[in-house]
Amino acid sequence: VGTVLPLANNLASTQVIETGKSVVVPQAQTNPQLESSRHIQQQRNIRCLMIVPLLSHRHVIGTISVGTDQEERIFTQAEVALAETIAGQIAGAVENARLFDEEQRQRQVAESLREVATILNSSLDQQTILVKIMQQLGQVIKYDSGAIFLQDDDMLVLSHGIGLGDGYIGQRVSLTGPSPMVRVFNQKQ
């Protein structure tokens, strides 16, 4: 758990990810298909390794590896089939967890947007509105600093900031300058 296996020089895992098909690798400690993870196979005395794809909607979202330290043991087709069945269940659970997390995030975004709309409709004080907008932005995007620039003729003016220091408020940026912020503003993207 927590071990990161590089795919470079790990032909067996790369094959599983690219094909979506399980692989059994005998002689795991010396097999060239496992070059980048050879030290792990040796540390754990793995003699044969089975790598099974985690498939969700026909896309590989990860793999499961099962090893044995028994000298002559090679995983059977029946064991591979059983591991694939279990992997399918795991992939479904992982996908459901991802969908749940995404749904929670979308709810948070929607709630923040609703809160911003409420603020915009309940206050005419620009500074209050800008403060509340940055607070709501912080609810959906974790940040250390942020700024709101508003257009004033051919300039963008730093109207509110968080984590910037008071000396920056009021700074002006020409709309004809090379700044990425100016490009975004001018391209309306």
Side-chain angles (χ1 to χ4, degrees):
V1 175
T3 302
V4 176
L5 297 177
L7 287 177
N9 296 322
N10 191 335
L11 301 176
S13 291
T14 301
Q15 179 182 343
V16 171
I17 291 168
E18 288 176 354
T19 66
K21 305 241 184 266
S22 299
V23 170
V24 174
V25 184
Q27 301 170 347
Q29 294 181 26
T30 58
N31 196 307
Q33 288 185 299
L34 299 172
E35 185 177 326
S36 69
S37 64
R38 182 170 292 138
H39 64 286
I40 294 170
Q41 312 315 322
Q42 291 170 345
Q43 253 179 358
R44 297 182 180 162
N45 198 31
I46 302 298
R47 303 298 180 157
C48 182
L49 185 69
M50 173 179 20
I51 306 170
V52 179
L54 292 172
L55 291 168
S56 177
H57 305 290
R58 298 183 188 172
H59 291 93
V60 177
I61 62 169
T63 64
I64 295 177
S65 297
V66 178
T68 181
D69 63 0
Q70 296 175 16
E71 191 77 35
E72 299 297 319
R73 174 136 159 53
I74 296 178
F75 293 102
T76 67
Q77 280 304 111
E79 291 170 318
V80 171
L82 179 59
E84 288 172 345
T85 299
I86 294 167
Q89 297 296 314
I90 293 169
V94 168
E95 186 63 22
N96 286 341
R98 283 184 185 175
L99 290 172
F100 179 77
D101 288 346
E102 180 59 25
E103 189 268 338
Q104 292 294 96
R105 182 172 159 18
Q106 291 300 324
R107 280 181 188 249
Q108 181 67 47
V109 169
E111 177 60 26
S112 290
L113 288 172
R114 188 194 62 71
E115 184 66 28
V116 167
T118 300
I119 292 164
L120 293 173
N121 290 324
S122 67
S123 177
L124 296 176
D125 177 51
Q126 182 179 21
Q127 200 56 34
T128 300
I129 291 171
L130 298 179
V131 167
K132 296 285 188 184
I133 287 172
M134 291 303 288
Q135 287 173 347
Q136 289 305 310
L137 183 60
Q139 295 294 315
V140 294
I141 300 174
K142 300 302 178 206
Y143 62 87
D144 297 312
S145 63
I148 296 176
F149 286 83
L150 298 176
Q151 183 179 9
D152 183 18
D153 294 326
D154 63 343
M155 304 292 274
L156 288 176
V157 179
L158 179 58
S159 301
H160 181 71
I162 298 214
L164 302 176
D166 293 335
Y168 292 98
I169 303 300
Q171 282 195 349
R172 303 169 81 74
V173 177
S174 170
L175 284 173
T176 60
S179 162
M181 175 182 52
V182 170
R183 269 197 313 274
V184 168
F185 181 84
N186 288 331
Q187 293 173 358
K188 311 281 190 255
Q189 296 180 4

